[in-house]
Amino acid sequence: MNTMVRSASRAADALRPVRITRHYTMHAEGSVLIEFGNTKVLCTASVEEKVPPHKRGSGEGWVTAEYGMLPRATHSRSDREAARGKQTGRTQEIQRLIGRSLRAVFDLKKLGERTIQLDCDVIQADGGTRTAAITGAFVAAQDAVNGLLAAGKITETPITAAVAAISVGIVDGRPLLDLEYTEDSACDTDMNVVMTGAGHFVEVQGTAEGVAFTRAEMDQLLTLAEKGVGELMLLQQQALSK
Amino acid sequence: MNTMVRSASRAADALRPVRITRHYTMHAEGSVLIEFGNTKVLCTASVEEKVPPHKRGSGEGWVTAEYGMLPRATHSRSDREAARGKQTGRTQEIQRLIGRSLRAVFDLKKLGERTIQLDCDVIQADGGTRTAAITGAFVAAQDAVNGLLAAGKITETPITAAVAAISVGIVDGRPLLDLEYTEDSACDTDMNVVMTGAGHFVEVQGTAEGVAFTRAEMDQLLTLAEKGVGELMLLQQQALSK
Amino acid sequence: MNTMVRSASRAADALRPVRITRHYTMHAEGSVLIEFGNTKVLCTASVEEKVPPHKRGSGEGWVTAEYGMLPRATHSRSDREAARGKQTGRTQEIQRLIGRSLRAVFDLKKLGERTIQLDCDVIQADGGTRTAAITGAFVAAQDAVNGLLAAGKITETPITAAVAAISVGIVDGRPLLDLEYTEDSACDTDMNVVMTGAGHFVEVQGTAEGVAFTRAEMDQLLTLAEKGVGELMLLQQQALSK
Amino acid sequence: MNTMVRSASRAADALRPVRITRHYTMHAEGSVLIEFGNTKVLCTASVEEKVPPHKRGSGEGWVTAEYGMLPRATHSRSDREAARGKQTGRTQEIQRLIGRSLRAVFDLKKLGERTIQLDCDVIQADGGTRTAAITGAFVAAQDAVNGLLAAGKITETPITAAVAAISVGIVDGRPLLDLEYTEDSACDTDMNVVMTGAGHFVEVQGTAEGVAFTRAEMDQLLTLAEKGVGELMLLQQQALSK
Amino acid sequence: MNTMVRSASRAADALRPVRITRHYTMHAEGSVLIEFGNTKVLCTASVEEKVPPHKRGSGEGWVTAEYGMLPRATHSRSDREAARGKQTGRTQEIQRLIGRSLRAVFDLKKLGERTIQLDCDVIQADGGTRTAAITGAFVAAQDAVNGLLAAGKITETPITAAVAAISVGIVDGRPLLDLEYTEDSACDTDMNVVMTGAGHFVEVQGTAEGVAFTRAEMDQLLTLAEKGVGELMLLQQQALSK
Amino acid sequence: MNTMVRSASRAADALRPVRITRHYTMHAEGSVLIEFGNTKVLCTASVEEKVPPHKRGSGEGWVTAEYGMLPRATHSRSDREAARGKQTGRTQEIQRLIGRSLRAVFDLKKLGERTIQLDCDVIQADGGTRTAAITGAFVAAQDAVNGLLAAGKITETPITAAVAAISVGIVDGRPLLDLEYTEDSACDTDMNVVMTGAGHFVEVQGTAEGVAFTRAEMDQLLTLAEKGVGELMLLQQQALSK
C-alpha cells in the first residue's frame, strides 16, 4: 500500500537498535526490559518451588510463559483481556511459542522440581513483540538460573544453549530483517525464526499474508534470520556480562 | 525412545492411505470425510449470507474455520471443550491455521459479502489431524463454491488455487512423511507444511520437540513435504472429479 | 402447518430404519454409531479408573454422559458450544437424561470404583437424537462392561437390564412413532420414553408444544412407545450378538 | 430407607397447606409468594416493552422464566450460582420447564411485542420448588396481564387458560401427592405434572430414581396429579379474586 | 433534581422504621430478615466445619459474605447475575465490605477452624441495602455463634463487639440519615459508615456523586452516622433478647 | 509485628519521592509513568470517538478506567487475570474508584460524545498503587484533553479541577502519610483519600484492618491526607508545565 522506507535509513539486513536492560523491576528473580527499536517488552522470570501436575514427582522442573499486551501498547487501544474474560487466540499462540522456545534450551532434570515462569508484557508495540519477548526472556531466565546457582539450590546450570528469535519478511518483493509494524502490515510473507547458540533451529513459522512464497524466498529469509539471531546472541552475552 | 517401524511397511516418503469421501453428511453445502490412515476428520463448509463486523459493507466475503476433537477421538479420553467452557490454546492455534490456509487461496472480493465457515471435527485421531483438516476443508470449500456458482449467486470462482497440507518430521534421525501418532510422539522435529497448487508455501511451521534442527535437515523436510502435498493435490482432484 | 407425509411411506407405528454399528472408532472401550433413519449419533463408552468426588471411597462406581452436536449436523449451522464457552440448556438437559437413563440399569456397587463416561455426539440430525443416543449408549456401555469382564477387572456384570428410548408424538391429531425432524417441528405433543428390558419406564417426558394433550392421547402415545422400544431392544441384542 | 410418615398426618392424596400471597414485593408488575408447606418461592412478573431477537418485528410477544435458589434455602448451603459463574444444569432445566409451561397458556400475538419475564426465587426449599414456581408464576403473570389491560396497553387477555403443577411419586410402594423433601429423597419414582384449567397436560416428566415404574403405577400417579392440580387451580382463583 | 420530601415526614436525622425478624427461614444457623423501611434483606449465617485454603491448619476460622439482589428487587428489572455468568463490580464491592465489617468484630482464633458464611440477599430494594445487610448479618452471625456455644463446639464467644452500619448523605445541601432510593439518587455526597459497639469506626466510605464535599460536611455526616448506628445497636440488642 | 522504620528515614508526614514522567509511551493521547518511591504505575489516556450505550445520543461524553497489575509487579508472583479469565474483586474495586475520581473533575457535556479511557497498569508495586494511579491518570487525562483542544475538537476544557489521591494510615499507633507495602501490611487503619484542587473530598475510604479507629484518629488522618494531596498537586502542575 505505502512505499515502505525503513525508518532511519536502516539497511534491509539490519536490526533495529536493540537495548537490553537487566534488573528493570525489583521483585522478580530475573527482570529484563528489551527494546527492538520502539518495541518494548518487559520480561520477568519468577522461580516457584512447585511444578504443574504433569511433572509432580518426576524429579523434573518446568519452564513456561505468559504473554500480554498493555491495552494502549498499540496504535489504537485494544480491549484488556482480563476485562474481556479471556485471552485471544493470538495471545495463546504467542505464549505457547515463547514457552516451547525456552524449554528447548533447558534440561528440566537439572532444574529440579521447580518452575521458571516467564512473563512477557508488551509496554509498547511496533512489530516483533514475540521475537523480542523470546530474546529478552532468555536473559531473564539466565538471571533466575544464576540466582539458583548462587543460592546453592542447583549445582549445575540447566541451560544448554542460548536462544533468541527474529522476524524476517518479504515486503514489496524485498527480504527484510526485523520488521517494524508498518512493514509487518505491508508484507507478503512473515516469518519468525527461533534459533539456539549452536545455530540450529528451534522454531520456524512462516506465513504468507498475501502471495504464497517460493522455496528460493524461504532460503533467503532463513539466511537473513541466521544473521539477525547471531547478532542478537552477542547482545545477550554483552548484557549478561555486565 | 521406541524403535519406530512404520505401520504396514510404509516407506519413509510414503503417505498413509488417503481417502476423501464427499457428501458425507446431508445438510452442509460441502461435507467431506478425509482419512489419512486411521486419522478421520469430518470437514463441512457452511455458506452464510452475512459477514463478520470487520467486513460489513466492504463488498468482500470471509472464510474462517473452527476445529474440534470428539472427546474419545484419542487414545485416552480428553475433556469436552464445551463442558470445560473454553477451547484449549492448541485448538485455537489449529483453527487459526486452517482459516489462514484457506483464505490464502480465496479472492474475498469474488466471494461477495458472504461467509464460508469451515468446521473440522476429528472423529478419530492418529496424528496429522490439522493437515488432514486443511486438505479436506479445501474439498468441502470447493463443493460449497460450486453450489454458489450453480445457484448463480456468484459468476466467477473466488478460489485461486488448490491448497493442501502435510506433516513431516525427523524420527531417530530419519526424515519421515506424514507422521502417525506414535511417530509424532517420538520425533525430534515436527513440521507442518501448507502449499498451493502452484507449489508455493502458505505456511511452514517447524518445531524442535527434542534436539534443534539444522538447515540441512530443514531442506530435507521441505523436499519431502513438496512430494507429499503434490500427491494430496492429485487425490483432491480425483475426489472432486467424481 | 404442513400436511405431513412420512418419508418412504412409513406407517404411523413404524420405526425408521435403524442401524447399529459397533467398533465404529478404534480407541474407545465401546464405540457405536447408531442411525435412526438420517439421524446419526456416535456413542462412545470410556472406562476411567477413578470416580467423581461424591463417590470416592464409597466402593461404588459412576456412569455419566455428555452430549454434543457437530455445528453442521443440522439444517442451518448452529454455534459451536466450545467456542461460545458454554453448553446450552438443551444440551445439558439431554446429557443429564442420558446419564440418568443409563444409571437406571447399572448396579454401581458391582461396577467398582471406576467411571463409565458415555459421549454421544450427533454427526447428523433429523429428529430423535436423544433417543438414538440412549439406545446407542447402552450398546457401547455393554461393550465396555464386556471388556472389563474379559480383563477380569470385574467378575459379575453391573448391568441389570437393557435400556432403550424412543420418541412419540401427535402430529395433525395422529399419534406417530419415532418422529423425524419435520414431524417433530410440526407436532403438538412430543414425548420421549425411556424403558427397560422388563417393559418398565425409566423416564417419560411429554411436552405439549402446541395444544395441551388429554389423558387418552397420553395412553395412545405410551402404547406406541412400548411397541417401539420393544423393537429397539431386539435390534440391540442382534447387534451385540454379532 | 426411612419409613416415611408424612408430616402432620397428611393423607397420601392431600396437598400440603398452600398459601398464595399477592403483592408480596412492591416494584414488580406481579409479585406472588407461594408456599407449599415449608417450600416458599417468590414469583415476580416483569413486563418489558421489548422482545428477544427471534421475535423482533413478528408482532408477537414472549414469556420466559428464570429460576434461582438462595444459597441457604436448603438444608446445607449450596454454592451461589452468580459466584460460581454459571447456572447448574438443574437450574436451567427447571427454568426452561417454567417458561414452556407458562407459554402453553399464552397467546403471544395478543400479548403484542413485549416480554413477560418471570423470576422464581426459592426462599426456602422443602421439595416441590418447581411445581410451586409454576403455580405461583401463573398468578404473578395474571396480575401483570391485568395491569396491561387496566393501562389499555392490550384490550384482550392473552391468557387462554390457567396453568398449575404438582409433583407426585411412589414412596415405599405407595403413591403420594405433593412430595416433601424427605419423601422426594426416598422415592422410587418422581413425577412432575403440569396441567391447564381444561384438565389437559402441558408437561409430564416422570423419572425412576430407583426401581423403574410400571404402566399401572404411571396411571395411579396421573390420577393423583389430576386431583392435586384441580385443587391448586381453585386456590389460584381464590387468590386472584381477593 | 426533585425537591425531596422525606417519606412519612421523616426528620433529617431519623432512621426509617427498622424491623429485625429472627428465624425467618428454617435451615440456616442464623436467619434474619432486616427491614429499613421498604428495603428488605434476608441475611443468613451458615456454619461450615471447614476453612478456605489460606486458613487451613492455622487453628483459626473465617468469616465471609456474599451479596445478591433478586432481579426484581429494584424498580426496573436487573439482569440475574447467575444467568449473566458473573457478579458485577458493585456486588463484589459490597460483599467484600460486608465480610470485612463482620471480621472486624470476630476473634478468628476463638472461632476455631470453621467458617461462618453470611449470605445477604435483597428481596426488595429502596436504598441502603449494604448497611441493612451488615446490620442484619451481625444478628444472624450472633445466632449462629450462640448455636455453636449451645452445642459445646466452642466455649467462649468469638464475637468481640457488635457491628452495625448506616448511610448518610447530603441532599440539596442538607445532611440526611439513612437515605431512601430517591434521596440516594439525588444526593451529592453518599457515605456508608460501619461502627462497632464501642463507637469506633470499622469502615468509612464517602463518595461525592456530584459536588465534592468539605471537611465540615464530612464532620456533620459522621456525627449523624454515630447517632444512627447507636440506635441500630439498640434494635439489634432488642431483637437478640427476644 | 515488625517495628517499622520508614525507609530512608522518611518523616511520618513525608511523601516518598514522587516522579511524574509524561509521554512515557508513544501511542496514547496521554501517557504518564508515575512513581511513588518504588511503586511505578503507567497511566495512559485513550480518546475514543464513541460512548457506552447509556450515553449514546446524550451529547455527553464518558470517562472510565481500568486497572491491572503485571504478574510480577509484586513480591511473589500473582496470577495473570487474563489467564484466570476474570478480574479479582480488588481490581474491580480499584478501577471503579479511579473512574469515579476522574469523573468528579470532568464536565461530561463539555467533553462531547467521546470517551476518555484511562488504563492504569502497575509495573512495580510497593504500596499505594491506587493513589498513584489516580494522581497519574489525572496528568494523562490532562494531556489527552490538551490534545483535543489543540485539534479543535473541543473549544473549552471539560476539566473543572485537579484531582489527586494519597493513602494514610495508623501503624503502631502513629499516623503515617503515603504508606509503603510493609507499612500497609502492618497498619491498623488504612485510608485512601481523593481530593480536588479546591481542597474538597471526592472519596474517603477508611478501613480498620486491625483495631477499629476513633473519631480523633480519623481527624488526624484527614489532616495528614490534606497535606499530602496538596503536595501532589504541586508536582502535577510542575509536570504539566514542562
Side-chain angles (χ1 to χ4, degrees):
Chain A
M1 197 167 285
N2 301 324
T3 307
M4 300 303 323
V5 183
R6 304 209 97 183
S7 57
S9 335
R10 179 153 65 103
D13 67 347
L15 294 176
R16 288 176 281 181
V18 172
R19 208 150 34 131
I20 299 176
T21 309
R22 286 163 66 209
H23 312 304
Y24 189 72
T25 56
M26 72 185 189
H27 298 301
E29 283 72 37
S31 175
V32 168
L33 183 77
I34 187 160
E35 300 170 68
F36 280 19
N38 283 324
T39 289
K40 304 185 187 194
V41 185
L42 173 54
C43 307
T44 58
S46 300
V47 177
E48 300 181 308
E49 294 293 323
K50 61 182 180 189
V51 285
H54 72 284
K55 285 292 179 187
R56 271 178 215 149
S58 70
E60 294 196 349
W62 190 240
V63 174
T64 186
E66 285 182 2
Y67 170 93
M69 207 170 324
L70 295 193
R72 198 54 196 283
T74 43
H75 194 268
S76 60
R77 186 178 183 273
S78 48
D79 286 347
R80 184 178 292 270
E81 291 183 329
R84 289 175 67 241
K86 60 176 180 172
Q87 295 178 302
T88 62
R90 178 186 173 276
T91 292
Q92 291 194 54
E93 214 167 289
I94 293 174
Q95 67 193 12
R96 284 158 56 88
L97 172 66
I98 302 170
R100 280 199 311 274
S101 297
L102 270 287
R103 279 194 298 280
V105 296
F106 260 84
D107 179 334
L108 297 175
K109 272 206 166 45
K110 289 190 182 155
L111 180 56
E113 275 201 36
R114 56 178 60 84
T115 296
I116 296 183
Q117 170 77 46
L118 300 159
D119 286 289
C120 300
D121 286 273
V122 180
I123 305 294
Q124 187 171 280
D126 188 31
T129 63
R130 79 190 71 186
T131 52
I134 291 166
T135 307
F138 174 73
V139 179
Q142 182 69 68
D143 272 336
V145 162
N146 289 346
L148 287 169
L149 286 163
K153 292 195 178 168
I154 53 176
T155 54
E156 210 182 343
T157 183
I159 294 181
T160 59
V163 67
I166 199 67
S167 73
V168 285
I170 298 174
V171 182
D172 294 336
R174 199 170 146 228
L176 295 182
L177 180 68
D178 187 18
L179 306 182
E180 297 169 34
Y181 176 73
T182 49
E183 295 168 344
D184 195 11
S185 308
C187 79
D188 278 317
T189 295
D190 175 22
M191 190 176 294
N192 291 293
V193 180
V194 186
M195 297 180 74
T196 64
H200 295 173
F201 297 97
V202 170
E203 291 268 345
V204 174
Q205 297 198 336
T207 297
E209 310 265 335
V211 184
F213 51 102
T214 63
R215 182 91 182 249
E217 288 171 327
M218 174 130 201
D219 281 337
Q220 286 182 297
L221 292 175
L222 290 173
T223 301
L224 212 48
E226 286 169 337
K227 173 178 183 297
V229 169
E231 291 173 23
L232 287 173
M233 285 190 173
L234 284 178
L235 294 164
Q236 288 176 326
Q237 287 166 25
Q238 284 170 15
L240 282 164
S241 64
K242 272 174 204 164
Chain B
M1 199 168 282
N2 301 322
T3 307
M4 301 302 324
V5 183
R6 303 207 97 185
S7 57
S9 337
R10 182 153 64 103
D13 67 348
L15 294 176
R16 286 176 284 180
V18 172
R19 209 150 33 132
I20 299 177
T21 308
R22 287 164 64 210
H23 312 304
Y24 188 72
T25 56
M26 71 185 188
H27 297 301
E29 285 69 39
S31 175
V32 168
L33 183 78
I34 187 160
E35 301 170 68
F36 279 19
N38 284 322
T39 288
K40 303 184 187 195
V41 184
L42 174 54
C43 307
T44 60
S46 300
V47 177
E48 298 182 309
E49 294 294 322
K50 60 181 183 191
V51 286
H54 73 284
K55 285 291 178 186
R56 271 177 215 151
S58 69
E60 294 196 351
W62 191 240
V63 175
T64 186
E66 286 181 3
Y67 170 93
M69 206 168 331
L70 295 193
R72 199 52 197 285
T74 42
H75 194 268
S76 59
R77 186 177 182 272
S78 47
D79 285 347
R80 182 178 294 269
E81 292 183 328
R84 290 175 67 240
K86 61 175 179 172
Q87 296 179 299
T88 61
R90 179 187 173 275
T91 290
Q92 291 194 55
E93 212 168 291
I94 293 175
Q95 67 193 11
R96 284 159 56 88
L97 171 66
I98 302 171
R100 281 199 311 272
S101 296
L102 270 287
R103 281 195 296 278
V105 296
F106 260 83
D107 179 333
L108 296 176
K109 272 207 167 45
K110 290 191 182 155
L111 181 57
E113 274 201 37
R114 55 178 60 83
T115 297
I116 296 183
Q117 170 76 45
L118 300 158
D119 286 290
C120 301
D121 286 274
V122 180
I123 305 293
Q124 188 171 280
D126 188 31
T129 64
R130 80 188 72 185
T131 52
I134 291 167
T135 307
F138 173 72
V139 179
Q142 182 68 71
D143 272 336
V145 161
N146 289 347
L148 287 169
L149 286 164
K153 293 196 177 165
I154 53 177
T155 53
E156 211 181 343
T157 183
I159 294 181
T160 59
V163 67
I166 198 66
S167 73
V168 284
I170 298 174
V171 182
D172 294 338
R174 203 172 144 221
L176 294 182
L177 180 69
D178 186 19
L179 306 183
E180 298 169 36
Y181 176 72
T182 49
E183 295 168 344
D184 195 11
S185 310
C187 79
D188 277 318
T189 295
D190 173 23
M191 188 175 293
N192 292 293
V193 179
V194 186
M195 298 180 72
T196 64
H200 296 172
F201 297 97
V202 170
E203 291 269 344
V204 174
Q205 297 199 336
T207 298
E209 309 264 336
V211 184
F213 51 101
T214 63
R215 182 94 181 247
E217 287 170 328
M218 174 129 198
D219 281 337
Q220 285 181 296
L221 291 175
L222 289 173
T223 301
L224 211 49
E226 285 169 334
K227 173 177 183 298
V229 169
E231 292 173 23
L232 287 173
M233 285 191 173
L234 285 178
L235 294 164
Q236 286 177 327
Q237 287 166 26
Q238 284 170 16
L240 283 164
S241 63
K242 274 176 201 163
Chain C
M1 198 167 284
N2 301 323
T3 308
M4 301 302 323
V5 185
R6 305 207 97 186
S7 56
S9 336
R10 182 153 64 102
D13 67 346
L15 294 176
R16 287 175 283 180
V18 172
R19 208 147 38 127
I20 299 176
T21 308
R22 289 163 63 209
H23 311 307
Y24 188 72
T25 56
M26 72 185 189
H27 297 302
E29 284 71 39
S31 174
V32 169
L33 182 79
I34 188 160
E35 301 170 68
F36 280 18
N38 284 322
T39 289
K40 303 183 188 198
V41 185
L42 174 54
C43 306
T44 59
S46 300
V47 177
E48 299 182 307
E49 294 294 323
K50 61 181 182 189
V51 287
H54 72 285
K55 285 291 179 186
R56 270 178 215 150
S58 69
E60 294 196 349
W62 190 240
V63 175
T64 186
E66 285 182 0
Y67 170 93
M69 208 172 324
L70 296 193
R72 198 54 196 282
T74 43
H75 195 269
S76 59
R77 186 176 183 274
S78 47
D79 286 347
R80 184 178 293 269
E81 292 183 328
R84 291 175 65 240
K86 62 175 178 171
Q87 296 178 301
T88 62
R90 178 186 173 277
T91 291
Q92 290 195 55
E93 212 168 292
I94 293 175
Q95 67 193 11
R96 284 159 55 90
L97 171 66
I98 301 170
R100 283 199 310 272
S101 297
L102 269 287
R103 282 195 296 279
V105 296
F106 260 83
D107 180 333
L108 296 175
K109 272 207 166 47
K110 289 189 182 155
L111 180 56
E113 273 200 39
R114 55 177 60 84
T115 297
I116 296 184
Q117 169 76 45
L118 300 158
D119 286 289
C120 301
D121 286 274
V122 180
I123 305 293
Q124 187 171 280
D126 189 32
T129 63
R130 79 188 73 186
T131 53
I134 292 166
T135 307
F138 173 73
V139 178
Q142 181 69 68
D143 271 336
V145 161
N146 289 347
L148 287 169
L149 286 164
K153 292 197 178 165
I154 54 176
T155 53
E156 212 181 343
T157 182
I159 295 181
T160 60
V163 68
I166 199 67
S167 74
V168 285
I170 297 174
V171 182
D172 294 337
R174 200 171 147 225
L176 294 182
L177 181 69
D178 187 17
L179 305 183
E180 297 168 35
Y181 176 73
T182 50
E183 295 168 345
D184 195 11
S185 309
C187 80
D188 277 318
T189 295
D190 174 23
M191 188 175 293
N192 291 293
V193 179
V194 186
M195 299 181 71
T196 64
H200 295 173
F201 297 98
V202 169
E203 290 270 344
V204 175
Q205 297 200 337
T207 297
E209 309 265 335
V211 185
F213 51 100
T214 64
R215 181 91 181 249
E217 288 170 328
M218 174 130 198
D219 281 338
Q220 286 181 295
L221 291 175
L222 290 173
T223 301
L224 212 48
E226 286 169 336
K227 174 177 182 298
V229 169
E231 292 173 23
L232 287 173
M233 285 188 172
L234 284 178
L235 293 163
Q236 287 176 327
Q237 287 166 26
Q238 284 170 14
L240 283 164
S241 65
K242 274 176 200 163
Chain D
M1 198 167 285
N2 300 325
T3 306
M4 300 303 323
V5 184
R6 304 207 100 186
S7 57
S9 335
R10 178 153 68 101
D13 67 349
L15 294 175
R16 287 175 282 180
V18 172
R19 207 148 38 129
I20 299 176
T21 309
R22 286 163 65 210
H23 312 304
Y24 188 72
T25 56
M26 71 184 187
H27 297 301
E29 284 72 39
S31 175
V32 168
L33 183 77
I34 187 160
E35 301 170 67
F36 281 18
N38 283 324
T39 289
K40 305 184 187 197
V41 185
L42 173 54
C43 307
T44 59
S46 300
V47 177
E48 298 182 308
E49 294 294 323
K50 62 180 181 189
V51 286
H54 73 284
K55 285 292 178 187
R56 271 177 215 150
S58 69
E60 295 195 350
W62 190 241
V63 175
T64 186
E66 286 182 2
Y67 170 94
M69 209 174 320
L70 296 192
R72 199 53 198 283
T74 43
H75 194 268
S76 61
R77 186 177 182 273
S78 47
D79 285 346
R80 183 178 294 268
E81 291 183 328
R84 287 175 69 240
K86 62 175 181 174
Q87 295 178 301
T88 62
R90 177 186 175 275
T91 291
Q92 291 195 54
E93 213 168 290
I94 293 174
Q95 68 194 12
R96 282 158 57 87
L97 172 67
I98 301 170
R100 280 199 312 272
S101 297
L102 270 288
R103 281 194 297 278
V105 296
F106 259 83
D107 180 334
L108 297 176
K109 273 206 166 44
K110 290 190 181 153
L111 181 55
E113 275 201 36
R114 56 178 60 83
T115 296
I116 297 184
Q117 169 77 45
L118 299 159
D119 285 290
C120 301
D121 286 274
V122 180
I123 305 294
Q124 189 171 278
D126 189 31
T129 62
R130 79 188 74 185
T131 53
I134 292 167
T135 306
F138 174 73
V139 179
Q142 182 68 69
D143 272 336
V145 161
N146 290 346
L148 287 169
L149 286 164
K153 293 197 178 165
I154 54 176
T155 54
E156 211 182 343
T157 182
I159 294 180
T160 59
V163 67
I166 198 67
S167 73
V168 285
I170 298 174
V171 182
D172 294 337
R174 200 171 146 224
L176 294 183
L177 182 69
D178 187 19
L179 306 182
E180 298 168 34
Y181 176 72
T182 49
E183 295 168 345
D184 196 11
S185 308
C187 81
D188 277 319
T189 295
D190 174 21
M191 190 175 292
N192 291 293
V193 180
V194 186
M195 297 180 73
T196 65
H200 295 173
F201 297 96
V202 169
E203 291 269 345
V204 174
Q205 297 198 336
T207 297
E209 311 264 335
V211 183
F213 52 101
T214 65
R215 181 93 183 248
E217 287 170 329
M218 174 131 200
D219 282 337
Q220 285 181 298
L221 291 175
L222 289 173
T223 301
L224 210 50
E226 285 170 336
K227 174 178 183 296
V229 170
E231 291 173 23
L232 286 174
M233 285 190 173
L234 284 178
L235 293 164
Q236 286 176 327
Q237 287 166 25
Q238 284 170 16
L240 282 164
S241 63
K242 270 176 206 162
Chain E
M1 200 166 283
N2 302 321
T3 308
M4 299 304 323
V5 184
R6 304 207 96 188
S7 56
S9 337
R10 180 152 67 102
D13 68 347
L15 293 176
R16 286 175 284 179
V18 172
R19 207 146 39 126
I20 299 175
T21 309
R22 286 163 66 209
H23 312 306
Y24 187 72
T25 56
M26 72 183 187
H27 297 301
E29 283 72 39
S31 175
V32 168
L33 184 78
I34 187 159
E35 300 170 69
F36 279 20
N38 284 323
T39 289
K40 304 184 187 197
V41 185
L42 173 54
C43 308
T44 59
S46 300
V47 177
E48 299 181 306
E49 293 294 324
K50 60 182 182 190
V51 285
H54 72 283
K55 284 292 180 186
R56 271 177 214 150
S58 70
E60 293 197 350
W62 190 241
V63 175
T64 186
E66 285 182 1
Y67 170 92
M69 211 179 307
L70 295 193
R72 198 54 198 281
T74 43
H75 193 269
S76 60
R77 185 176 183 274
S78 48
D79 285 346
R80 183 177 293 269
E81 291 183 328
R84 289 176 66 243
K86 61 176 182 174
Q87 295 179 302
T88 62
R90 178 186 174 275
T91 292
Q92 290 194 55
E93 212 168 291
I94 293 175
Q95 66 193 12
R96 283 159 55 88
L97 172 65
I98 301 170
R100 282 198 311 273
S101 297
L102 270 286
R103 280 195 297 278
V105 296
F106 259 83
D107 179 333
L108 297 175
K109 270 208 169 46
K110 289 190 182 154
L111 180 55
E113 273 200 42
R114 55 178 60 85
T115 297
I116 295 184
Q117 169 77 46
L118 299 158
D119 286 289
C120 301
D121 286 275
V122 180
I123 304 293
Q124 189 172 277
D126 188 32
T129 63
R130 79 189 73 187
T131 52
I134 292 167
T135 307
F138 173 73
V139 179
Q142 182 68 70
D143 272 335
V145 161
N146 289 346
L148 287 170
L149 287 164
K153 292 195 179 167
I154 54 176
T155 53
E156 210 180 345
T157 183
I159 293 180
T160 59
V163 67
I166 198 67
S167 73
V168 286
I170 297 173
V171 182
D172 294 336
R174 199 171 147 228
L176 295 182
L177 181 68
D178 187 18
L179 305 183
E180 298 168 35
Y181 176 73
T182 48
E183 295 168 344
D184 195 10
S185 309
C187 78
D188 277 319
T189 295
D190 174 22
M191 190 176 292
N192 291 293
V193 180
V194 186
M195 298 181 71
T196 65
H200 296 171
F201 297 97
V202 170
E203 291 269 345
V204 174
Q205 297 199 335
T207 298
E209 310 263 336
V211 184
F213 52 99
T214 63
R215 181 94 182 244
E217 287 169 328
M218 175 130 199
D219 281 337
Q220 286 181 296
L221 290 176
L222 289 173
T223 302
L224 211 50
E226 285 170 336
K227 172 178 183 299
V229 169
E231 291 172 24
L232 286 174
M233 285 189 172
L234 285 178
L235 293 163
Q236 286 176 328
Q237 286 166 26
Q238 284 169 16
L240 282 164
S241 65
K242 271 176 204 162
Chain F
M1 199 168 283
N2 301 324
T3 308
M4 300 302 324
V5 183
R6 303 207 98 188
S7 55
S9 338
R10 180 152 67 101
D13 67 349
L15 293 176
R16 288 175 283 179
V18 172
R19 207 151 33 132
I20 299 177
T21 309
R22 286 163 67 209
H23 313 304
Y24 188 73
T25 57
M26 71 182 187
H27 298 300
E29 283 72 40
S31 175
V32 168
L33 183 78
I34 188 160
E35 300 170 68
F36 279 19
N38 284 322
T39 289
K40 304 183 186 196
V41 185
L42 173 55
C43 307
T44 60
S46 300
V47 176
E48 299 181 308
E49 292 295 322
K50 61 182 183 189
V51 285
H54 74 283
K55 284 293 179 187
R56 273 178 213 150
S58 70
E60 293 196 349
W62 190 239
V63 175
T64 186
E66 286 181 1
Y67 170 93
M69 212 181 304
L70 296 193
R72 198 54 198 280
T74 42
H75 194 269
S76 60
R77 187 178 181 271
S78 47
D79 285 347
R80 183 178 293 267
E81 291 183 328
R84 288 175 67 240
K86 60 176 183 173
Q87 294 178 302
T88 63
R90 177 185 174 277
T91 290
Q92 290 194 56
E93 213 168 291
I94 293 174
Q95 67 192 12
R96 284 159 56 87
L97 171 66
I98 301 170
R100 280 199 313 272
S101 297
L102 271 286
R103 281 194 296 280
V105 296
F106 260 82
D107 180 334
L108 297 176
K109 270 205 171 44
K110 289 191 182 155
L111 180 56
E113 273 200 41
R114 55 177 60 85
T115 297
I116 296 183
Q117 169 77 44
L118 300 158
D119 286 289
C120 301
D121 286 274
V122 180
I123 305 292
Q124 189 172 278
D126 189 31
T129 65
R130 78 189 72 187
T131 53
I134 291 167
T135 306
F138 174 73
V139 179
Q142 182 68 69
D143 272 335
V145 161
N146 290 345
L148 287 169
L149 286 164
K153 293 197 177 164
I154 55 177
T155 53
E156 209 181 346
T157 182
I159 294 181
T160 60
V163 67
I166 199 66
S167 73
V168 285
I170 298 174
V171 182
D172 295 337
R174 202 172 146 226
L176 294 182
L177 181 68
D178 187 19
L179 306 183
E180 298 168 36
Y181 175 74
T182 48
E183 295 168 344
D184 195 10
S185 309
C187 79
D188 278 319
T189 295
D190 174 21
M191 190 174 293
N192 291 293
V193 179
V194 186
M195 298 181 72
T196 66
H200 296 173
F201 297 97
V202 170
E203 292 269 345
V204 175
Q205 298 199 335
T207 298
E209 311 265 334
V211 184
F213 52 100
T214 63
R215 182 91 181 247
E217 288 170 327
M218 173 129 199
D219 281 338
Q220 286 180 294
L221 291 176
L222 289 173
T223 302
L224 211 49
E226 286 170 335
K227 172 177 185 298
V229 169
E231 292 173 23
L232 286 174
M233 285 188 173
L234 284 178
L235 293 164
Q236 287 177 326
Q237 286 165 26
Q238 284 169 15
L240 282 164
S241 64
K242 272 176 205 163

